[in-house]
């Protein structure tokens, strides 16, 4: 880094004074309202629905569901409910690969006035940030101006340090000039909504252009550069504030609470110094040393315990007696947790006595060798400092691994009776009761994200399975009730001769609810009750498992029956999803097939902006797929629809 101090924040601000707030202009923007008007003018409202409308209607159908509750709002209110994307997706700054990105939802109200105000603010912040960033970078490359910044104060440009430190060096008159120029930029031109200055055009054609396309390209680049500069300058401020240099020389950040420990034992690649819980955030070396001592002890005990699990499996056990007085042989003591109940009281006494000896036999107070884990056993350490450091680092790493390993062994041993986790031994697993049940199908397997089976209750599982079967069957019948009349037509004759109601008079779908006579509903309810009470469906009965004796859907052969019931479950699950979708489509459009033209109450279908709304959604998709809002199909070589498109 150059020894001479570099340019000042004041010089960055001076750059602002030269050309900052006025060197950029903004291209005219296309608002949805304008687009709607132009498209409406070009295409009469009575024009037939275009292919674009038909294709893009599917893209917005999901959004329409969320707006269903408010479909009775007045047309005047609905005009303010345009999807925010349609208002702003073609604005400057919408760039690949993110596209229109507003995770905070600032544009959710669809207000073009609010968008224009935020865009104006974004432009100003971006420009100031670009100048400030250059104010950091330029002096590092070119050096500073010769001569005096303030002759009266005897202050040279070279005397002003680079970065935040310059704040204290700039004289009061300099701050006055900076504030005066900022005020001039704000009040010298009319920046009210709709003016060129509001869009960032202060009349300087150097960085923009008279040609609209060239101007649009340059302004899009300016927005992108400004966003990058806003991120960069904030990063520089942090680095400068922490290290005294915008380039973040870590060696200068002597106050970092992490620096006390970054060269300690246990800091190993690739993680480096890793303390996600923030135990070292207080920077206390005493606390660190105490935790390191504890970590060493836990690691050593865990390594011994892990070896205690593994060694007998390989070498076998000691010959002879563990306790001659109790007649207990080593071979009689099982491996793992089960040994706890076999060790005699005298054995536990010996273990505790040895632990106490290790704790009190040496001084482990802060700063002593024992506090650092050195108990004088030169097998695990060394007289050579470097060799000792390497071995202790390896011991720490092995101890950490052993702590993870022994906890895993405890769980496996406790659950399965073996440290090696033989799943077949874990007969009490709440998952094992259901992993071979009907409905467990590839590729998901046993899937219960809500944890309904976590209690392991087979009774609760059987009750839910019975309910699932019934819902699936009703949904399959309901789905077929939607589909069949569309294909085969309806029954001839009368549904209710007394009421003069023909089958043909009953509409398909939800609209039929109001047409079915009271006696019809009575028959439906009576049949449902018959199905529920005609057979014993208590736990353990065939009916509880879904077998009502109809051998068409089941079978006498157990394997064939299992296959059919598994297929029924899968079809029932699909039907439950399908019928809910049909209900929504029917409720919104009057047809289970979701004819968008029938959804006249949709808040997305503004009376004068219908075609524009559909067009802009189509442009969004076309732009994302082809790189052009006009959807040059030749650019979308990966489309599976190209064959159909080109027919």
């Amino acid at each position: 880094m150059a020894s001479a101090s570099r340019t000042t924040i004041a010089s960055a601000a001076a750059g602002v004074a030269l050309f900052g707030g006025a060197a950029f202009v903004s291209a005219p923007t296309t608002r949805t309202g304008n687009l709607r008007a132009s498209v409406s003018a070009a295409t009469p409202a009575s024009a037939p629905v275009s292919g674009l409308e038909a294709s893009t209607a599917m893209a917005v159908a999901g959004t329409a569901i969320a707006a269903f509750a408010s479909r009775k709002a007045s047309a005047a209110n609905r005009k303010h409910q345009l999807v925010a994307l349609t208002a702003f997706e073609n604005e400057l700054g919408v760039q690949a690969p993110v596209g229109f990105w507003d995770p905070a939802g600032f544009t959710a109200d669809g207000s073009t006035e609010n968008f224009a105000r935020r865009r104006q603010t974004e432009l100003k912040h971006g420009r100031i940030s670009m100048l400030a960033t250059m104010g950091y970078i330029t002096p590092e490359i070119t050096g500073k101006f010769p001569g005096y910044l303030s002759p009266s104060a005897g202050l040279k440009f070279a005397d002003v340090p680079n970065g935040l430190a310059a704040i204290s060096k700039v004289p009061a008159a300099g701050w006055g000039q900076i504030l005066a120029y900022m005020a001039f930029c704000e009040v010298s031109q009319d920046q009210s909504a709709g003016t060129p200055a509001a869009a960032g055009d202060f009349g300087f054609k150097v960085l923009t252009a008279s040609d609209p396309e060239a101007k649009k390209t340059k302004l899009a680049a300016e927005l992108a550069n400004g966003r990058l500069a806003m991120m960069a300058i904030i990063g520089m401020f942090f680095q400068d504030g922490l290290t005294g240099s915008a380039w973040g020389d870590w060696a200068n950040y002597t106050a970092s609470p992490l620096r006390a420990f970054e060269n300690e034992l246990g800091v190993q690649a690739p993680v480096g110094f890793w303390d996600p819980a923030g135990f070292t955030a207080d920077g206390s070396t005493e606390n660190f040393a105490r935790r390191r001592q504890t970590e060493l002890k836990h690691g050593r005990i865990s390594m011994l315990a892990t070896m205690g699990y593994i060694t007998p499996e390989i070498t076998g056990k000691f010959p002879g007696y563990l306790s001659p007085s109790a007649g207990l042989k080593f071979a009689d003591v099982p491996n793992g947790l089960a040994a706890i109940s076999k060790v005699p009281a005298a054995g536990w006494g010996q273990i505790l006595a040895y632990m106490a000896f290790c704790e009190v036999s040496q001084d482990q107070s802060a700063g002593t060798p024992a506090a650092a884990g050195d108990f004088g056993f030169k097998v695990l350490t060394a007289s050579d400092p470097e060799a000792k450091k390497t071995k202790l680092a390896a011991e720490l790493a092995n101890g950490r691994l052993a702590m993870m390993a022994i906890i895993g062994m405890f769980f496996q041993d406790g659950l399965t009776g073996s440290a090696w986790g033989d799943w077949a031994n874990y007969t009490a697993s709440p998952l094992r009761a259901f992993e071979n049940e009907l409905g467990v199908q590839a590729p998901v397997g046993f899937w219960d994200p809500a944890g309904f089976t976590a209690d392991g209750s087979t009774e609760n599982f059987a009750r839910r399975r019975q309910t699932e079967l019934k819902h699936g069957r009703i949904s399959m019948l309901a789905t077929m009730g939607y589909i069949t009349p569309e294909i085969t037509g309806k029954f001839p004759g009368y549904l209710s001769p007394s009421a003069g109601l023909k089958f043909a008079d009953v509409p398909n779908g939800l609209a039929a609810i109001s047409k079915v006579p009271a006696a019809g509903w009575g028959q439906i309810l009576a049949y449902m009750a018959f199905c529920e009470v005609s057979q014993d469906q208590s736990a353990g009965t065939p009916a509880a498992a879904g077998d009502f004796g109809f051998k068409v859907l089941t079978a006498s052969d157990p394997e064939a029956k299992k296959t059919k019931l598994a297929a029924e479950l899968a079809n029932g699950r699909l039907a439950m999803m399908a019928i809910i979708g049909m209900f929504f489509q029917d409720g919104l459009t009057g047809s289970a097939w979701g004819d968008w033209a029938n959804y006249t109450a949709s808040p997305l279908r503004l009376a004068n902006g219908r075609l524009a709304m559909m067009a802009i959604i189509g442009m969004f998709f076309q732009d994302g797929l082809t790189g052009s809002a006009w959807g040059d199909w030749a650019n979308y070589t990966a489309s599976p629809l190209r064959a159909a498109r080109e027919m």
Side-chain angles (χ1 to χ4, degrees):
M1 187 176 294
S3 58
S5 54
R6 304 304 188 208
T7 196
T8 67
I9 294 296
S11 61
V16 177
L18 293 175
F19 51 84
F24 310 85
V25 299
S26 175
T29 55
T30 302
R31 305 289 181 226
T32 301
N34 295 338
L35 176 60
R36 180 173 61 219
S38 61
V39 175
S40 297
T43 306
S46 60
V49 178
S50 69
L52 176 60
E53 282 188 285
S55 63
T56 55
M58 297 177 68
V60 298
T63 311
I65 293 172
F68 177 59
S70 61
R71 70 183 189 275
K72 295 184 181 296
S74 67
N77 288 334
R78 290 201 304 269
K79 289 181 179 179
H80 297 288
Q81 296 177 2
L82 275 173
V83 177
L85 286 176
T86 64
F88 314 120
E89 63 177 0
N90 290 317
E91 291 285 345
L92 280 172
V94 178
Q95 298 172 344
V98 176
F100 182 75
W101 193 66
D102 179 24
F106 288 127
T107 60
D109 58 3
S111 168
T112 54
E113 292 78 8
N114 288 341
F115 180 86
R117 176 175 55 79
R118 293 191 183 99
R119 171 50 52 81
Q120 183 184 30
T121 304
E122 181 185 26
L123 277 167
K124 291 178 180 177
H125 288 177
R127 289 164 180 174
I128 291 172
S129 296
M130 285 189 280
L131 290 167
T133 303
M134 292 305 297
Y136 263 104
I137 296 171
T138 305
E140 300 287 342
I141 300 171
T142 64
K144 301 185 180 180
F145 292 116
Y148 287 88
L149 171 64
S150 174
S152 62
L155 181 66
K156 295 181 178 180
F157 286 104
D159 297 334
V160 180
N162 195 13
L164 296 176
I167 294 174
S168 62
K169 296 292 187 178
V170 177
W175 287 113
Q177 292 170 3
I178 293 169
L179 294 174
Y181 178 68
M182 292 166 61
F184 170 76
C185 290
E186 287 296 308
V187 303
S188 61
Q189 295 199 37
D190 179 11
Q191 300 183 49
S192 58
T195 62
D201 186 352
F202 289 89
F204 290 87
K205 301 301 181 186
V206 177
L207 294 181
T208 62
S210 300
D211 176 44
E213 280 305 311
K215 183 162 84 168
K216 184 176 180 181
T217 301
K218 290 184 178 180
L219 281 173
E222 181 196 22
L223 270 171
N225 292 339
R227 290 164 180 170
L228 178 61
M230 284 188 273
M231 298 296 291
I233 198 64
I234 291 295
M236 287 177 173
F237 284 162
F238 270 94
Q239 289 173 299
D240 195 351
L242 292 174
T243 69
S245 163
W247 319 121
D249 186 352
W250 184 253
N252 295 334
Y253 187 17
T254 55
S256 168
L258 301 179
R259 294 209 64 211
F261 315 119
E262 63 181 0
N263 294 315
E264 291 286 342
L265 279 172
V267 178
Q268 297 172 345
V271 176
F273 182 75
W274 193 66
D275 178 25
F279 289 126
T280 60
D282 57 3
S284 169
T285 54
E286 292 78 9
N287 289 341
F288 180 85
R290 176 176 55 79
R291 293 190 183 101
R292 170 51 51 81
Q293 184 183 32
T294 304
E295 181 185 25
L296 275 167
K297 292 178 181 178
H298 288 176
R300 288 167 179 172
I301 292 171
S302 296
M303 285 189 281
L304 290 169
T306 303
M307 292 305 298
Y309 262 104
I310 296 171
T311 304
E313 299 286 341
I314 300 171
T315 64
K317 301 185 180 179
F318 292 116
Y321 287 87
L322 171 64
S323 176
S325 61
L328 182 66
K329 295 180 178 180
F330 286 103
D332 297 333
V333 180
N335 195 13
L337 296 176
I340 293 174
S341 62
K342 297 292 186 178
V343 177
W348 287 112
Q350 291 170 5
I351 293 170
L352 293 173
Y354 178 69
M355 292 166 62
F357 170 76
C358 290
E359 286 295 309
V360 302
S361 62
Q362 296 197 38
D363 179 12
Q364 300 183 48
S365 58
T368 62
D374 185 353
F375 288 90
F377 296 92
K378 298 304 178 186
V379 178
L380 294 180
T381 63
S383 300
D384 176 41
E386 281 304 311
K388 177 177 167 181
K389 183 177 179 180
T390 301
K391 288 184 178 181
L392 284 174
E395 180 191 27
L396 270 171
N398 292 340
R400 290 165 180 170
L401 178 61
M403 285 188 273
M404 299 297 292
I406 197 63
I407 291 296
M409 288 177 173
F410 284 163
F411 270 94
Q412 288 174 302
D413 195 352
L415 293 173
T416 69
S418 164
W420 320 122
D422 185 355
W423 185 253
N425 295 332
Y426 186 18
T427 54
S429 168
L431 300 179
R432 293 209 64 210
F434 316 120
E435 62 183 0
N436 293 316
E437 290 285 343
L438 281 172
V440 178
Q441 298 172 345
V444 176
F446 182 74
W447 194 65
D448 178 25
F452 288 126
T453 60
D455 57 4
S457 169
T458 53
E459 292 76 10
N460 288 341
F461 180 85
R463 175 176 56 80
R464 293 190 183 101
R465 171 51 50 82
Q466 184 183 30
T467 304
E468 182 185 25
L469 275 167
K470 291 178 181 178
H471 288 175
R473 288 167 178 172
I474 292 172
S475 295
M476 285 189 281
L477 290 169
T479 303
M480 291 305 298
Y482 263 104
I483 296 171
T484 305
E486 300 286 341
I487 300 173
T488 64
K490 302 184 181 178
F491 292 116
Y494 287 87
L495 170 64
S496 175
S498 61
L501 182 66
K502 295 181 178 180
F503 286 103
D505 297 333
V506 180
N508 196 12
L510 295 177
I513 293 174
S514 62
K515 297 291 186 179
V516 177
W521 286 114
Q523 291 170 5
I524 292 170
L525 294 173
Y527 178 68
M528 292 166 64
F530 170 76
C531 291
E532 286 295 307
V533 302
S534 62
Q535 295 198 37
D536 179 12
Q537 300 183 48
S538 58
T541 61
D547 186 353
F548 289 90
F550 296 93
K551 298 305 178 186
V552 177
L553 294 180
T554 63
S556 300
D557 176 41
E559 281 304 312
K561 177 177 166 183
K562 183 177 179 180
T563 301
K564 289 184 178 180
L565 284 173
E568 180 191 27
L569 270 171
N571 292 339
R573 291 164 179 169
L574 178 61
M576 284 188 274
M577 298 297 292
I579 197 64
I580 291 296
M582 289 177 172
F583 284 163
F584 270 95
Q585 288 174 301
D586 195 352
L588 292 173
T589 70
S591 164
W593 320 121
D595 185 354
W596 184 254
N598 295 333
Y599 186 18
T600 54
S602 167
L604 301 179
R605 299 190 70 224
L606 301 183
N608 296 325
R610 175 170 172 262
L611 181 57
M613 182 273 294
M614 302 301 289
I616 204 67
I617 291 293
M619 287 177 180
F620 177 82
F621 274 94
Q622 287 172 301
D623 197 353
L625 293 174
T626 69
S628 165
W630 317 122
D632 185 354
W633 192 254
N635 295 335
Y636 186 22
T637 55
S639 169
L641 304 177
R642 289 201 71 204
R645 172 85 177 191
E646 293 168 359
M647 285 178 59

